[in-house]
Amino acid sequence: MNDIRVSWNNLSREEKLQYTMPKNDVDEKVHVGDTDNDSNVQPFDTRCTPTRFCQMMSTFSDLQKDAVRDLGFGNLLMLNYGFLRRDLCAWLVNKFDITTLTIELHGKSFILNPSIFSHVMGISDRGDIVNID
């Protein structure tokens, strides 16, 4: 697995583009604004959009869906198709402080630790070992 990661990281941007899918289900038209300076928000790129993720999950057999539920990720099976606002994702990531596990929104800080994230997302935070086989 490490060899794959190293090989991927050694590819040029142009070479990586041949492995990406069209982003027609990603909305980049609306820009998130705030009173803070958002000009230094880094671009946010993902190869897994909600539409593609839901399409993949729809191909799962009942046995695979049961395995997802057993691992504590059953709520992911209920995701709806939709658009991913990459500018909003980038803005939220930019607002998150990894040292204090807080996100600052409109001058207020909110703690977002793994337990709270688990509660909000409805997924497991037990630290289960996932056996890929």
Side-chain angles (χ1 to χ4, degrees), residues 3 37 62:
D3 295 338
N37 181 8
D62 288 340

Side-chain angles (χ1 to χ4, degrees), residues 22-35:
K23 297 177 181 173
N24 57 356
D25 57 346
V26 178
D27 183 6
E28 298 184 73
K29 296 175 187 166
V30 182
H31 298 283
V32 175
D34 196 7
T35 56

